[in-house]
Structure formats: C-alpha cells, structure tokens
Amino acid sequence: MHAVIELNTVTKQYDSLVAVDDVSLSVKTGEYFALLGPNGAGKTTIVRMLLDFTRPTSGTMAINGLSSADPAARTAIGYLAENHHIPDSLSGWQYLRRCADLLDMSKHAAETQCRRIIELIGMHEREHTKAGTYSKGMIQRFGLGAALLGDPKLLILDEPTSGLDPIGIREIRLLLESLKHQGMTILLNSHLLSEVEKICDTVAIMNHGRLLVKDTISAIVKDGDTLEDVFVRLVRG
C-alpha cells in the first residue's frame, strides 16, 4: 500500500533540546494514524515539520513522495491546528468562503464546496450566525470543515477535541468516522486515548522525542488491556 507520509531517521534539535530523536515511521493511504505521547514527547514538532513550519535537523520527511519542504507536497493536505479560532465577527459561512478564497477557488466551486461541507459537519442551521455565539465544538467543526476545502487526501489534526465537552468530543469523532468511509488518510495528534482507540487503525507512542512503539491498535492492545494501559506502561518504562 502506498505511503502518504514517510519519516526516515528524523531528528529535530533546538540548542541542547532534542525534540525528535531519530524517528522513522510511515502512514499508508486510507490509514487513521495517531501520534500519542505526553506533553513534550515530540508529536507537535513532527506535525510542524510535516507542514514545513520548521525543518528537521537531520533525516528526511516526505508526503506522497515529495519532500515536506516542497510547497507542492502540501497541496494535498488539510490542517486543523490545536487552538483553532474564528473571528467573532464572522459567520461560519463567511469563514469558509474566506478560506476558499485563499485556495484561489472560483466562486462557483467555493460555494458548492462550502454548501457540501456545511451539510457534512452538520452546521446547516447555524452557518449564518456569528462565530461569537458558537460553542467550542461548533468552532472545531467549522475548523475541520475549512481543512476539508479543496478535497485534500490527507488531514493533519492537532488535538481536534482539545477543550471540548463529552458531547463535542463525540460529534468530532462521528464526523471523523464518516470521513473514514470516503478513503481519507488522517494523522491525528491527540491525548484522548479512549477516542483514538475507537477510530484509529495504527498508533505511534512517543516519549522524550523517541518512538517507543508503532503498530496497529489490534496488535498492541491485548489480553483485556486498553490503549491507555499500554500507553502508561510504555511511557513509565
């Protein structure tokens, strides 16, 4: 199966701090892949390098066979940042249309995609109200909707359920599950292990910049354990 993301002996160092330490892994087409680890494990640094916000000190990173430093590699990516925000003065519809304009879509293509995405994220009754009235879950849904503009083949989601209540978490999970049936590939950076276990195929567990294990959930969660049990054992050593 084709590898959408490939990391080969990647290291990222900031002065004396080694944020990512000789990590190699791959994410295959259609796979739901989770990066797991405590704060400071190196997960967000990997995401930032894939998006070319920063570059590896050594090693290589590729997206669909192109270097992550190549702007062409990012044309197939939709990205949702951890602390996503929509200006209070904009409606969800206005926000999506502005994001579509940044992608240089025609007016017809932009409006067609925005209408389809609003239905997909279940916000068709609130798309014209101001974002200042939205819950955190609604903000995240519109953020995910913006990431879906342009029909990306790969979604990179950095803590998409951060700060959400249980209802908001469930809404995002159900939305991600619906995308799975469309062949989307997702790289998910999350602390919420119970949700990861429900929707992801494969996990990479990191600590102090090092990769501790990378395998399918079915391979590492056995004998009545949960993903949380495995995670705690590995991180505590």
Side-chain angles (χ1 to χ4, degrees), residues 28 52 57 66 72 96 109 112 122 133 143 162 173 187 207 219 233:
K28 297 178 176 62
D52 201 38
T57 305
L66 299 174
L96 290 179
T112 298
T133 68
S162 176
R173 171 167 53 82
L187 177 65
N207 197 24
R233 281 201 302 271

Side-chain angles (χ1 to χ4, degrees), residues 105-125:
M105 290 185 185
S106 69
K107 180 178 179 181
H108 174 74
E111 295 202 352
T112 298
Q113 283 208 25
C114 287
R115 289 192 197 98
R116 175 176 59 81
I117 285 170
I118 283 171
E119 289 297 321
L120 178 66
I121 64 176
M123 292 298 293
H124 55 280
E125 295 181 353

Side-chain angles (χ1 to χ4, degrees), residues 32 170 172-182 186 195 198-199:
Y32 270 34
R170 183 175 184 275
I172 295 299
R173 171 167 53 82
L174 292 176
L175 182 51
L176 294 180
E177 287 175 345
S178 72
L179 294 174
K180 194 168 191 175
H181 302 300
Q182 300 176 27
I186 291 185
E195 291 299 310
K198 290 173 184 174
I199 64 172

Side-chain angles (χ1 to χ4, degrees), residues 36-38 193 205 226-236:
L36 306 178
L193 303 185
I205 299 177
T226 65
L227 182 57
E228 182 178 354
D229 296 328
V230 175
F231 176 87
V232 170
R233 281 201 302 271
L234 286 169
V235 170
R236 287 183 175 174

Side-chain angles (χ1 to χ4, degrees), residues 88 126 129-135 138:
D88 289 349
R126 296 294 302 275
T129 55
K130 300 298 183 185
T133 68
Y134 292 164
S135 68
M138 293 175 185

